[in-house]
Amino acid sequence: AANLCCGNPCQNRGVCSTVGFDRYECDCTRTGFYGDNCTTPELWTAVKMALKPSPESVHHLLTHFPGAWRLVNGVPFLRDAIMRYVLMSRSTLVPSPPTYNARYGYKSWESYSNVSYFTRVLPPVPEDCPTPMGVAGKAQLPDAQELAERFFRRRRFVPDPQGSNLMFAFFAQHFTHQFFKTDFKKGPEFTRALGHGVDLSHVYGDSLETQHQLRLFKDGKLKFQVIDGQVYPPSVEEARVAMMYPEHVPARARFAVGHESFGLVPGLMMFSTLWLREHNRVCAILREDHPEWDDERLFQTARLVLIGQTIKIVIEDYVQHLSGYHFRLKFDPELLFRENFQYRNRIAAEFNHLYHWHPLMPDAFALQGRVVRYPQFLFNNSVLLEHGVEGLVDSFARQQAGRIGGGKNIHSSVLRVAVAGIKHSRQMRFQSFNAYRRRFGLKSYRSFEDVTGETEMAAELREMYGDVDALELYPGLILERPRPGAIFGETMVEMGAPFSLKGLMGNPICSPEYWKPSTFGGARAFELVNTASLRGLVCRNIPGPCPEHVSFRVPG
Ligand code: MNH
């Protein structure tokens, strides 16, 4: 007989266990529901359900009525209360401490303690199920390459209606790669980013050895080189870290930074250069206030300052833009000091999977009046040297990124990444799109038309998957009908936001013992954290006047 948990009988986050070979049990403890399959709400649950607005209504409210929001944003008590609600309602969807991984679909000490795994919010589909998605669908999933060709390959560039630009795209890639670092040598379920969060390992390296190679060991600073009067990362000869460069790359363009593959895209190296300059700038400021400190203390403290600045920029510039909310988001750890919130984080495989935002990438790159195609752009740091950070910022800020949702918008140069992602998700036995929807408090889609909001792709999907309950997570996220005027659909937001906010606020610097001026070197440095912005990061670290337009959205 098949494993009776294959069909996900337990609802409302109840835990399914097999009992013997022909029985199963749902553990409904603390779900607010009872009954064999945790389907009957307790009285209090029923009341809350009746009062709770749908994600669609909340989203509508937050993205409309700008006049009313201007008022709310101006009342500190209201702004704090709403921000606290946003943080708590999102982060309670992420188990903390973490639970499963690709190997363990039940709680185990190994799964909890072995941080070389990505964690999992939903356990893997058991091995002994009738179909790859449990019980729904066909015995075989559609060919991943064919899915990519039919539904993901770009026909004609679809711009993001929210106006995201390439500053946004490269910031997304740069920021997330500090914690999405699959250890492909071991398999897609393993990570090399053992800090599991915003540790700035992409600036400082993911090992002490790398960090020491990158450090100058003077005044806390990082090694650098000066080219055409500007500061850039050191070459791999000056900082002996393992960087991934193809053979044809000349020595002078082999920069050494904290992440071994950041030579891949000049947009990544541009942000690495900005953070390198910022680190050394912060060190100089700290040294003014603390001439008594040694190199080590200056370095360590600057790192904490940069972590704080990163979180500030991510919440107040990056997520603010991405959300499309008129409500003004706030980075203020004190909002959570009276809440039941765990200051820890573990990166989930599902979070990595959903962040494969390759549709953002354009057809080619428009750099100060010339068009650079992929082969000339990739692994070409001389693009950065030719334009300078300021030239790239100016160009990237003006070029619109692609829409992530809606399908048929991934450039051929990165299409294979989507294929690989789907294959990895199968290896890791991800549950279905609908299973993830339910896990994050959303209703299952009843049909493929329901998912895509159209009929053409829906018909093809039905033919390929057989059953909407067998639709896989990534195709679901990408092909789901985007919200009107938005970069993607409901599920990307409802799944992504909890992981994102938990990872940002779960950082130790946000905890009561850390979140105080002394941690960051005093009031002046604390202010660097509390006033950080994308514009500040750029304009304090480039020569000449601040470019008119430094933003995550195209001008106009
Ligand atoms: Mn991208 C992984 C290429 C832009 C997010 N990306 C990969 C991989 C390649 C790659 C190759 C490894 C694939 C594999 O073996 O599974 N990515 C690119 C290129 C560009 C790019 C050439 C731009 C040009 N990537 C982006 C952008 C994002 C992004 C923009 C937005 C956030 N990429 C990811 C994520 C991964 C990934 C997330 C997974 C990383 C990991 O698990 O190690």
Side-chain angles (χ1 to χ4, degrees), residues 25-309:
E25 237 171 44
C26 294
D27 185 347
C28 314
T29 306
R30 285 182 291 280
T31 60
F33 292 81
Y34 62 98
D36 285 349
N37 293 332
C38 316
T39 46
T40 316
E42 291 162 4
L43 178 63
W44 182 227
T45 308
V47 172
K48 278 197 288 192
M49 280 164 64
L51 295 175
K52 195 169 172 247
S54 71
E56 282 312 315
S57 330
V58 174
H59 183 81
H60 186 88
L61 191 68
L62 285 160
T63 52
H64 290 76
F65 320 110
W69 285 114
R70 246 194 311 281
L71 292 177
V72 170
N73 291 335
V75 183
F77 163 80
L78 282 177
R79 186 175 172 214
D80 288 1
I82 293 169
M83 191 65 205
R84 187 180 299 114
Y85 173 78
V86 168
L87 292 173
M88 286 310 292
S89 62
R90 295 293 191 189
S91 56
T92 49
L93 287 161
V94 178
S96 183
T99 52
Y100 312 115
N101 65 31
R103 193 47 240 293
Y104 294 92
Y106 48 92
K107 275 136 207 156
S108 70
W109 193 258
E110 179 60 20
S111 168
Y112 163 71
S113 64
N114 189 341
V115 298
S116 59
Y117 285 95
F118 289 114
T119 187
R120 283 279 284 277
V121 167
L122 280 183
V125 175
E127 298 276 354
D128 47 353
C129 292
T131 71
M133 290 291 114
V135 295
K138 309 183 177 184
Q140 288 256 310
L141 287 167
D143 181 66
Q145 185 68 43
E146 195 184 337
L147 282 171
E149 294 296 341
R150 285 216 217 172
F151 303 115
F152 299 152
R153 180 187 286 281
R154 176 177 287 157
R155 274 62 168 185
R156 194 156 182 284
F157 177 73
V158 184
D160 167 27
Q162 287 181 227
S164 302
N165 57 24
L166 295 190
M167 284 296 277
F168 176 83
F170 291 131
F171 189 95
Q173 189 184 13
H174 183 265
F175 167 71
T176 60
H177 280 47
Q178 70 189 296
F179 46 77
F180 297 146
K181 275 182 98 166
T182 300
D183 190 345
F184 288 110
K185 278 200 212 97
K186 288 209 277 186
E189 65 270 47
F190 293 103
T191 177
R192 287 179 304 150
L194 303 180
H196 285 275
V198 184
D199 60 358
L200 265 57
S201 59
H202 59 337
V203 176
Y204 304 109
D206 63 14
S207 73
L208 198 54
E209 224 180 303
T210 304
Q211 183 204 107
H212 284 182
Q213 281 296 330
L214 294 169
R215 283 172 61 177
L216 194 58
F217 289 110
K218 185 166 184 304
D219 301 339
K221 290 186 174 174
L222 292 169
K223 287 180 188 164
F224 61 92
Q225 58 179 319
V226 178
I227 303 174
D228 297 334
Q230 292 302 308
V231 168
Y232 288 98
S235 73
V236 290
E237 279 142 38
E238 296 160 274
R240 305 214 151 267
V241 303
M243 292 293 294
M244 212 177 71
Y245 285 109
E247 265 167 35
H248 66 80
V249 177
R252 71 162 207 144
R254 290 179 180 241
F255 294 146
V257 298
H259 193 300
E260 41 281 83
S261 40
F262 278 7
L264 173 66
V265 188
L268 293 172
M269 198 52 77
M270 178 196 77
F271 275 111
S272 288
T273 305
L274 278 169
W275 284 114
L276 167 76
R277 294 178 186 177
E278 181 66 8
H279 176 92
N280 287 354
R281 193 184 75 88
V282 169
C283 284
I285 293 172
L286 287 173
R287 188 159 175 267
E288 282 177 20
D289 288 354
H290 297 284
E292 79 284 11
W293 280 2
D294 64 1
D295 164 78
E296 185 68 20
R297 185 144 190 200
L298 288 166
F299 169 82
Q300 297 296 349
T301 307
R303 182 174 186 165
L304 294 182
V305 171
L306 265 74
I307 289 172
Q309 291 177 315

Side-chain angles (χ1 to χ4, degrees), residues 144-155 359 404 406-412 415 418-419 422 457 461 465 473-479:
Q145 185 68 43
E146 195 184 337
L147 282 171
E149 294 296 341
R150 285 216 217 172
F151 303 115
F152 299 152
R153 180 187 286 281
R154 176 177 287 157
R155 274 62 168 185
I404 296 169
K408 300 184 182 173
N409 204 24
I410 301 185
H411 189 268
S412 58
L415 193 61
V419 178
I422 289 178
M457 289 193 297
L461 285 167
Y465 279 104
L473 179 57
Y474 191 72
L477 288 164
I478 296 294
L479 302 179

Side-chain angles (χ1 to χ4, degrees), residues 118 169-170 172-173 176-177 180-182 184 264-265 318 352 355-358 360-361 365 374 377-378 413-414 416-417 420-421 424:
F118 289 114
F170 291 131
Q173 189 184 13
T176 60
H177 280 47
F180 297 146
K181 275 182 98 166
T182 300
F184 288 110
L264 173 66
V265 188
Y318 175 91
N352 183 344
Y355 234 116
H356 280 59
W357 290 355
H358 296 89
L360 286 171
M361 287 293 102
F365 302 85
Y374 280 81
F377 191 70
L378 299 185
S413 303
V414 282
R416 65 185 181 82
V417 186
H424 294 147

Side-chain angles (χ1 to χ4, degrees), residues 385-547:
L385 293 175
E386 280 157 38
H387 296 269
V389 170
E390 57 282 8
L392 287 190
V393 167
D394 189 60
S395 304
F396 292 158
R398 290 170 198 286
Q399 186 171 359
Q400 196 156 352
R403 189 184 212 175
I404 296 169
K408 300 184 182 173
N409 204 24
I410 301 185
H411 189 268
S412 58
S413 303
V414 282
L415 193 61
R416 65 185 181 82
V417 186
V419 178
I422 289 178
K423 288 182 178 166
H424 294 147
S425 78
R426 292 174 182 179
Q427 242 175 296
M428 292 188 277
R429 306 189 64 81
F430 273 23
Q431 293 194 31
S432 67
F433 180 57
N434 263 342
Y436 278 102
R437 291 211 15 114
R438 291 192 297 273
R439 172 60 182 73
F440 283 87
L442 305 169
K443 289 201 184 77
S444 287
Y445 282 120
R446 308 281 287 280
S447 68
F448 288 99
E449 284 77 10
D450 214 8
V451 175
T452 65
E454 48 80 86
T455 53
E456 220 172 288
M457 289 193 297
E460 288 184 61
L461 285 167
R462 181 164 347 92
E463 170 218 315
M464 292 173 84
Y465 279 104
D467 184 336
V468 69
D469 282 320
L471 177 61
E472 291 171 281
L473 179 57
Y474 191 72
L477 288 164
I478 296 294
L479 302 179
E480 180 178 29
R481 171 174 45 93
R483 282 166 164 162
I487 191 165
F488 37 47
E490 175 188 56
T491 314
M492 188 76 85
V493 177
E494 297 300 315
M495 276 187 74
F499 288 126
S500 166
L501 294 176
K502 172 71 182 172
L504 294 162
M505 300 309 292
N507 193 286
I509 69 155
C510 298
S511 67
E513 202 47 48
Y514 280 65
W515 187 250
K516 48 180 83 173
S518 55
T519 302
F520 304 93
R524 188 165 163 222
F526 200 30
E527 194 64 9
L528 296 177
V529 173
N530 284 311
T531 58
S533 66
L534 176 70
R535 193 175 170 82
L537 173 68
V538 169
C539 290
R540 282 190 250 287
N541 293 296
I542 58 170
C546 190

